[in-house]
Amino acid sequence: MTEHQDPILRIAAFSDGAVGGNPAGVWTGAVLPPADVMQRLAHQVGFSETAFAAPVDGGWRVRYFSPASEVPFCGHATIALGAALAGAHGDGVYALTLNAAAITVEGRRDAGGLVSAALQSPPTFSRAADPALVQAALALFGYGEADLDPRIAPGFAHAGADHLVLALASRAKLAAMRYDLEAGRALMAAYGLTTIVLAWAETGRLFHTRNPFAIGGVYEDPATGAGTAALAGYLRDIGWPHGGAIDVVQGEDMGMRSRLHADIGALPGSSIRVSGTARFMA
């Protein structure tokens, strides 16, 4: 099928009710287009990611493209896909086959036009961040060691994609985030990062985050499900007192306030459930 026969839906994932959220494109069809066509469509849409899905073996084969490249997993585009599948095929849980993982997404419509959606991330793992990477990232954003939260050491965290986690000591430092896009792209490419998760812990269970996505040609995402899953897995690994779940506010500094919830099971390395609402865009 061609892109003309299958228009791309625009859906804001992890919305704050009927506003905010991170826009994603969602394409569904009988067979996935060639990779170069998906890349071109994602570039034309211009959102940080577009999900492409086709039915296979009782589930859906899914690939994700940013305007600049394919990415292995995207949380907010998965939530948007869950909303699209619920709208087209009914409420339920859908099995998704990614390039290197098998996950699920759930979508359930409500009377107000929103969709409650939840994904189960790929397995998680983490380790201490490379000191050279930490120093390069601090220089990129103009931060110093004193700007970091000493309770959460910098970490390399994975939940379907690789992220650097930097916890900041104040909300003001998070709000002050600035960096050069090309320098950020080079740094992320050198270390194989999908995003850098900048986080501030307001409480043990409430975090404010920002997610530069320079490798995808996007300065910042207003909601990042993959980054939230990676952060949640990392907090579990370091023994953070999360009490089984965290809530994340993201996009506030962009004027696109978004809300994400992550349920954290006790088993190290296990999937993180990331949930929120999605709204269809005009």
Side-chain angles (χ1 to χ4, degrees):
M1 294 187 178
T2 70
E3 62 247 50
H4 301 294
Q5 293 172 302
D6 296 286
I8 293 176
L9 296 174
R10 277 110 172 126
I11 300 171
F14 300 117
S15 63
D16 185 13
V19 298
N22 192 0
V26 176
W27 182 102
T28 59
V31 179
L32 288 181
D36 63 331
V37 174
M38 291 189 282
Q39 183 64 78
R40 184 175 73 250
L41 288 171
H43 182 78
Q44 290 172 355
V45 171
F47 293 156
S48 56
E49 273 99 2
T50 295
F52 296 84
V56 60
D57 299 330
W60 293 80
R61 176 68 174 98
V62 183
R63 294 176 71 176
Y64 308 92
F65 286 80
S66 78
S69 62
E70 184 171 10
V71 296
F73 171 59
C74 173
H76 87 275
T78 301
I79 292 293
L81 175 60
L85 293 176
H89 302 284
D91 296 351
V93 179
Y94 294 89
L96 309 181
T97 300
L98 314 186
N99 286 355
I103 66 170
T104 62
V105 68
E106 178 178 354
R108 302 201 179 276
R109 297 159 294 177
D110 68 23
L114 297 176
V115 177
S116 295
L119 64 85
Q120 289 291 153
S121 79
T124 68
F125 65 83
S126 68
R127 62 176 181 265
D130 181 337
L133 168 59
V134 174
Q135 291 305 313
L138 291 176
L140 175 69
F141 298 112
Y143 294 138
E145 295 276 358
D147 297 322
L148 297 177
D149 185 339
R151 302 171 299 170
I152 304 174
F156 175 93
H158 177 93
D162 296 335
H163 308 263
L164 172 65
V165 176
L166 292 179
L168 300 175
S170 73
R171 182 67 180 84
K173 287 297 180 181
L174 185 67
M177 183 206 82
R178 301 290 186 277
Y179 75 102
D180 178 79
L181 182 65
E182 288 307 314
R185 189 201 307 269
L187 176 64
M188 292 183 189
Y191 286 91
L193 299 175
T194 298
T195 77
I196 296 175
V197 181
L198 300 172
W200 173 66
E202 181 175 344
T203 69
R205 297 187 63 166
L206 177 59
F207 284 77
H208 297 251
T209 65
R210 300 184 74 172
N211 281 76
F213 182 40
I215 194 69
V218 177
Y219 190 81
E220 178 181 4
D221 261 340
T224 313
T228 295
L231 171 63
Y234 182 55
L235 293 173
R236 173 173 58 198
D237 291 347
I238 66 173
W240 180 262
H242 52 73
I246 60 170
D247 288 296
V248 172
V249 176
Q250 191 179 332
E252 210 163 32
D253 298 289
M254 302 173 64
M256 298 175 69
R257 193 172 193 270
S258 306
R259 299 187 62 87
L260 306 89
H261 179 83
D263 291 300
I264 307 170
L267 183 64
S270 62
S271 172
I272 301 293
R273 177 181 171 88
V274 183
S275 59
T277 58
R279 60 181 180 88
F280 286 80
M281 302 169 68

